[in-house]
Amino acid sequence: PAPAPVDPQEWQDFNQRLSQHLDQFGYLIYQLDFARPLPVDDPAPILETLRMYLRGEGSDPLARQQASQAQRIQLSAQALEHLHGLKHWAFKKSLDWAQSLAEVREDALADIGLGYPLLRQVLHELGQRLAKSGMLEDGQDIFWLDKTEIETCLAAVQAGAPLKEFTGLVATRKVAWQAAKDVTPPPMIPFKKKYMGFNTNIWVPSSENSSGSMLKGVAASAGRVTAPARVLHGPQDFDQMQPGEILVATTTTPAWTPLFAMASGVVTDIGGPLSHGSIVAREYGVPAVMGTGVATRRLHSGQFITVDGSAGTVTIESLN
């Protein structure tokens, strides 16, 4: 039923349009991990985006894209005016190549998710059947088994052989996964000071350790801003974000993109110049520092911090 005071016909129209949207785009993946819900499974991020725009807190995406396009054309023309000969040719060739491949990258990411809804449907069905047979405690635990183990389960069921219980193994893996979440990953494996002749501090922090009131990371989007931090751990926290705050996250995926319309800056634990957070931050024109390693553990919501997206540093201004 329509919530008061929404008109029942408008509510019905909204539900129909939302269903059509999910039918067409609900397969788009937030992460490559197919154990994670898709928009068609959990449309909460989409609904939070709609709520944000209804509150008048989001910027006009069409206006932002038009401004970004105009700036790109202007800067490209200025660069070409100052280059001559081989440098002019190399810049133009590289620019055209990068712009054409950007479309290929986005199309590829979209296409990857085409099979995810069917894959998740099959795994959910298998999980329920294995749970009924006693192999798993819960159908969702199938996502904690590897391909070989699932095939072994299916072969045992088909052959009528004794069934192996995986509840203990799943519990152990969940504990190990939780412990791994508290580990700061290295910025590069193996770590090198130079790669293909370039200093690696272009892409990864010069030091993976941050101390005192300053965190070090990768300069991902130019600019400097001081504002309260908002530490978010997933879509379930999206409603906590307030306009003007600095978004702090482990990493970001396309599901997080609407929050950039509210954020005055972005800081992540993981990422580099070509990560999702970096690209979207530059698109929205907000300062960003990626790959700090410890931001979500060192920073707290409400703290005033300064993000220097040009220097790749985050300074804690207050402890509250």
Side-chain angles (χ1 to χ4, degrees):
V6 178
D7 179 81
Q9 184 59 49
E10 291 184 355
W11 181 248
Q12 183 178 350
D13 293 342
F14 167 76
N15 277 277
Q16 183 177 0
R17 294 178 64 183
L18 178 61
S19 296
Q20 291 173 346
H21 176 83
L22 293 175
D23 288 342
Q24 185 175 1
F25 301 108
Y27 69 89
L28 295 176
I29 56 176
Y30 294 150
Q31 301 181 36
L32 291 175
D33 183 0
F34 52 78
R36 300 294 182 179
L38 302 170
V40 70
D41 302 317
D42 180 12
I46 296 176
L47 297 176
E48 285 299 331
T49 301
L50 295 176
R51 290 177 59 187
M52 177 189 71
Y53 280 105
L54 288 172
R55 292 193 301 263
E57 297 172 348
S59 59
D60 184 348
L62 295 179
R64 174 179 50 78
Q65 291 171 359
Q66 291 172 355
S68 178
Q69 180 184 27
Q71 183 183 32
R72 171 175 55 81
I73 294 174
Q74 178 186 7
L75 292 176
S76 298
Q78 290 177 355
L80 289 169
E81 287 178 1
H82 290 84
L83 298 173
H84 304 281
L86 181 60
K87 290 184 178 180
H88 184 283
W89 175 87
F91 180 85
K92 184 67 167 59
K93 188 74 173 177
S94 300
L95 181 63
D96 292 343
W97 188 38
Q99 290 175 346
S100 64
L101 290 182
E103 297 180 10
V104 175
R105 177 184 183 275
E106 294 303 315
D107 289 342
L109 287 175
D111 291 345
I112 285 174
L114 283 172
Y116 273 49
L118 181 58
L119 178 61
R120 284 178 51 80
Q121 183 179 353
V122 170
L123 289 172
H124 280 144
E125 178 64 24
L126 288 175
Q128 292 300 323
R129 296 190 183 192
L130 295 180
K132 288 181 180 179
S133 69
M135 291 185 181
L136 299 174
E137 183 176 352
D138 183 86
Q140 294 292 319
D141 288 345
I142 193 171
F143 292 109
W144 295 92
L145 303 182
D146 61 33
K147 180 173 177 287
T148 302
E149 290 165 343
I150 295 175
E151 290 174 341
T152 300
C153 292
L154 297 178
V157 172
Q158 292 174 347
L163 304 181
K164 179 180 178 180
E165 184 179 332
F166 285 94
T167 54
L169 177 63
V170 169
T172 300
R173 288 177 177 173
K174 287 181 178 180
V175 171
W177 172 76
Q178 191 63 44
K181 290 177 64 177
D182 297 330
V183 176
T184 301
M188 174 185 281
I189 301 176
F191 183 79
K192 298 179 180 179
K193 293 185 177 180
K194 284 185 175 293
Y195 181 75
M196 296 180 64
F198 294 96
N199 292 327
T200 56
N201 59 13
I202 299 175
W203 304 291
V204 299
S206 56
S207 172
E208 58 180 287
N209 296 317
S210 299
S211 58
S213 61
M214 180 177 290
L215 311 183
K216 297 179 181 179
V218 178
S221 181
R224 183 183 174 94
V225 64
T226 299
R230 176 59 61 182
V231 181
L232 304 180
H233 299 284
Q236 70 276 5
D237 300 332
F238 283 2
D239 60 342
Q240 300 176 19
M241 186 74 186
Q242 299 297 318
E245 293 181 329
I246 295 173
L247 172 61
V248 181
T250 301
T251 188
T252 65
T253 67
W256 297 68
T257 300
L259 299 184
F260 285 69
M262 304 171 63
S264 60
V266 181
V267 180
T268 67
D269 293 342
I270 303 169
L274 298 180
S275 63
H276 172 269
S278 300
I279 295 172
V280 179
R282 292 192 292 269
E283 182 180 346
Y284 278 78
V286 296
V289 176
M290 305 285 118
T292 62
V294 294
T296 56
R297 295 200 294 274
R298 290 284 307 279
L299 304 178
H300 306 283
S301 294
Q303 280 183 324
F304 272 81
I305 61 175
T306 297
V307 176
D308 191 330
S310 302
T313 60
V314 179
T315 304
I316 302 173
E317 304 293 346
S318 72
L319 299 179
N320 299 321

